[in-house]
Amino acid sequence: MHPVLRRVLLHGGLTALILAVMGALLAELATLWLSGHATRSADPVAEQQVGAALRTRLPLMLAAWGFAFVLVGELIIWRIRGSRPAAPEPPNPQDDAEKLLNELLAQAESRMAAEAGEPGSEGKRPEPGDGKSGEERSPTPSPP
């Protein structure tokens, strides 16, 4: 469904509903006002016909005019703004960070696997001064 049509149906429908309720209230007020002026019309049947016509026509006409007003307004707004295509989503900066973290994690896992796979290491950690960590052992001085 076109976005303008959806907006017109939603906004126009709500406007028509509200104006129909207001029209019904105004029609009741008008019939009360007409029934208070009995001197104007000597025919009570004519007053009832006018009241019935007001009760049906006033809410319907207010709802129709309200819907038409919203329709014209939404079409004018759509014409002025134009139909813009949906904006593309900006690239998520977390994706780059997530890629970098995954890469670093893979490197760390490969290093741990390489260290665990060395012959003779068997999961032992190199101790400081044993020659594996890059330090050379200093000869222990012999006692004199």
Side-chain angles (χ1 to χ4, degrees), residues 49-60:
Q49 289 176 349
V50 170
L54 277 176
R55 285 188 183 108
T56 57
R57 287 189 67 193
L58 190 60
L60 290 176

Side-chain angles (χ1 to χ4, degrees), residues 30-48:
T31 54
L32 284 175
W33 182 73
L34 283 176
S35 66
H37 292 290
T39 58
R40 245 187 202 177
S41 172
D43 189 12
V45 176
E47 281 185 25
Q48 289 176 352

